[in-house]
Amino acid sequence: MPSPTPVDLTAVIDRTRSLLMPTVVAGADAPGPQGVMLVQAWPNGGAYVWETSDQRQCSATVSLTQVQTRGCAVHPLDPPVAPDAGLQSVDTFFTDGWVRLFGADHQTVSSATCGGAPLEVRRVGTVAGGARTLYAVWFPDYTKGSIVLELNHDGTTSEATLDLGELGDRTCAPTP
């Protein structure tokens, strides 16, 4: 599945970040040391995540005129970090498409495929004291099935699948 056509979204990111920041700078939901991280930008908005100082994950979607949604997890490290290597579905954003945010615990993602076709994976940032790296994948609409990820962990390479669920007319299943 193709990724969105790259365009210069600098002004959109600057505008949406400037709208978001006054709503998160103080209090229990304020960003920890890694700050606010961009998940995805599109011509009329942006999606963001951050981790609080007590390791709760927060997210927001922002249009060019207002913060549309904003919320934080109730519990720290939710979902829990895997003790060795693991994948965690973290969040879903409805942007100019459908964005899945996931975490790779104690490993990094080097590539992804959807139905055998390359899929762009965007590194968002690191949370959980460096144990989890957040990544995002974009689809034009709801997509079911799973994506295959190539992972690096302690000098070795492996493959794993990330389940996308069963919603949508699009699929990441290989075509026969």
Side-chain angles (χ1 to χ4, degrees):
M1 297 195 166
S3 296
T5 304
V7 295
D8 184 7
L9 296 172
T10 304
V12 171
I13 294 166
D14 291 345
R15 175 74 182 139
T16 56
R17 189 179 292 269
S18 71
L19 287 169
L20 176 62
M21 291 312 293
T23 73
V24 301
V25 295
D29 295 344
Q34 83 289 359
V36 173
M37 298 170 279
L38 177 69
V39 175
Q40 180 80 27
W42 59 98
N44 61 356
Y48 297 90
V49 295
W50 64 95
E51 184 180 58
T52 62
S53 60
D54 66 350
Q55 294 187 308
R56 290 177 301 113
Q57 184 174 305
C58 300
S59 63
T61 56
V62 185
S63 73
L64 294 175
T65 59
Q66 67 182 345
V67 176
Q68 295 178 309
T69 62
R70 183 169 97 65
C72 293
V74 174
H75 304 288
L77 298 175
D78 185 17
V81 173
D84 188 24
L87 293 174
Q88 310 292 337
S89 288
V90 176
D91 211 339
T92 301
F93 296 91
F94 301 95
T95 65
D96 62 338
W98 188 62
V99 176
R100 292 296 303 262
L101 182 70
F102 66 95
D105 296 348
H106 308 289
Q107 56 193 338
T108 58
V109 175
S110 56
S111 66
T113 58
C114 172
L119 178 65
E120 181 181 349
V121 178
R122 184 174 184 285
R123 183 184 181 281
V124 173
T126 304
V127 296
R132 175 174 290 158
T133 303
L134 298 175
Y135 295 92
V137 290
W138 178 91
F139 298 94
D141 202 348
Y142 289 106
T143 302
K144 60 186 173 182
S146 59
I147 59 175
V148 177
L149 301 169
E150 184 175 293
L151 303 162
N152 297 309
H153 173 68
D154 287 340
T156 63
T157 302
S158 63
E159 280 191 356
T161 59
L162 179 70
D163 183 36
L164 299 173
E166 294 303 318
L167 292 176
D169 294 329
R170 297 176 176 272
T171 184
C172 275
T175 52

